[in-house]
Amino acid sequence: MFGSSPPKKPVEIDDTTKAAEVFAIGIGECGSNIVGSYLQTSRDKKLPSRVRGYLLINTDRADLTKVRQKYGIPKENTLLYGASEIGVGGRFMDGYNSIMESKDIIFDQLANLGFEGVSGFCIFTSLGGGTGCGGTPALIELLKQRFQEEEGRRIFVYVVGILPFEGQSSEALNSIWAVSKLLRAQLQERGADLTILLSNRTMLKRILQWRKGDTVDYLQRELEVDIADIDSIETMVPSTLEESSAADARTEQAFVELVNPLALDVIEAMLSPGVWEKSKDVFPTTDLADYSRKLDPVVVPALYTDIGLIPDAGSMPKQLRTMIDYAVRECSYADVGDEPNAESVYYVFSGPRHVAKAEFGMHLKESLDKFIAPGAAITPCYVQYHDSESDPRTNLLLLLGLPKIPELVQIINEATQLVNLHSGASPLKQGWFMRSKGTTRKELVDAINDFRELFSYYMTPGEDME
Ligand SMILES: Nc1nc2c(ncn2[C@@H]2O[C@H](COP(=O)(O)OP(=O)(O)OP(=O)(O)O)[C@@H](O)[C@H]2O)c(=O)[nH]1
Ligand SMILES: [Mg+2]
């Protein structure tokens, strides 16, 4: 069995990796890309290791090879599993079953990579595909079974899940299924402790806002089309992504390349407080598991980087309020609108010693007040850098627990339309659900209704589906 054999290759340990107790798993194309590019970027920036080990898994041989080459990933850190070798093409139940059927080879490989002693796992995946979307809930079930039920040892499992671009209705449906599955599994202690949502559509929107000129130049170059104005880019998404011609695949690829750096920034911001570094103080002491202890199970991050706070320039409360307003409204990774009404908040305020000060906590708390539900808990964390040579940037990471997410309405509507399109008395029509998702219409309708319930404040009464 797995578990008893010692790691074949010892995990590299220097004083910077001691505190890194998390094992990263990238599943499917998106998940593998995110982990791969994260590792590569950390290497390039010479950041201390935030992860104790990692594994990229896919049911698609070509994609796995590509990711290995692109990011310089050793073969032993990748695994091809499942029967098809060409992915599951969005059929998420196949993604789910493939993981269950490959349990032994997956755990063998994890054991070889030294996953035994870790206290947590971070799984990266898109929510709209098949391999990662279906495989993630299965993988978590197996991990929880293995550690919590068989060994009686608590572990935390975080999922960083990527929501689809606009207009990808089939992916909207998959995403709803996956999140509802993760939440339901949690009731049996077999789900994710935290599901962190990053949305491709919002990340794209942010990029378009912040780096307008650069983005237009980049897209024109990549796609060899003339982009008249910024609004035309956003409308390119729904009209093109649903059909899968080569040009559309290129558009999607270009969008993905645009948003991935943003995704990496937030991952780095989340992982960094839990890792020891020479010139850094963190208080209160924070390890990664704290996020799940203090937050609701679905989280949307917001990250405001390189903030121009000037403590000597007077009115610090006002500067801090402006900072919080901007972070919530303009820097969230899924659009939370103006009134997220979050049920819990975790913030990580980092920067030079004279800026990232606990004394500012009171003002931060006051400023957050209008964005949270009455009684919502706020958990602070301060990260101070005291390296006299470097001039660290001031950053604010907000983790909003169970916020309102207006864009989920859009996702629900896209998914509902698709379900309606394939509904009807004829069994031929209903066959679509089994054929393209591997499951029944009922399971999908239940998932949509879960969503409506959880995020019910957006819905008008009587919209439930039968
Ligand atoms: N942000 C981001 N999104 C990606 C990336 N790669 C794919 N996506 C998105 O992920 C979704 C498709 O999921 P994939 O990850 O390709 O699917 P998969 O898990 O490999 O599953 P199958 O291909 O169906 O077997 C689409 O919404 C893509 O836009 C990436 O590197 N970054
Ligand atoms: Mg794939």
Side-chain angles (χ1 to χ4, degrees), residues 29 58 60 63 131:
E29 184 179 358
N58 206 334
D60 186 318
D63 280 350
T131 299

Side-chain angles (χ1 to χ4, degrees), residues 149-200:
E149 289 163 36
E150 290 168 23
E151 278 181 19
R153 184 157 83 79
R154 252 201 89 68
I155 51 160
F156 64 88
V157 181
Y158 293 173
V159 173
V160 174
I162 312 272
L163 293 167
F165 289 110
E166 204 169 324
Q168 297 180 295
S169 60
S170 185
E171 303 210 351
L173 189 53
N174 289 13
S175 302
I176 288 177
W177 176 85
V179 176
S180 130
K181 180 90 181 164
L182 291 171
L183 288 172
R184 282 187 175 241
Q186 203 188 33
L187 300 176
Q188 277 104 45
E189 301 270 329
R190 282 186 173 197
D193 296 284
L194 214 56
T195 300
I196 299 140
L197 297 178
L198 315 184
S199 150
N200 273 346

Side-chain angles (χ1 to χ4, degrees), residues 202-231:
T202 299
M203 289 193 285
L204 183 62
K205 192 176 84 182
R206 304 270 184 244
I207 294 273
L208 294 179
Q209 279 166 354
W210 295 336
R211 299 213 308 264
K212 239 176 193 172
D214 293 352
T215 311
V216 172
D217 288 350
Y218 165 81
L219 289 175
Q220 280 180 341
R221 213 172 43 240
E222 285 297 303
L223 306 175
E224 292 153 22
V225 292
D226 204 12
I227 293 162
D229 63 287
I230 209 84
D231 296 328

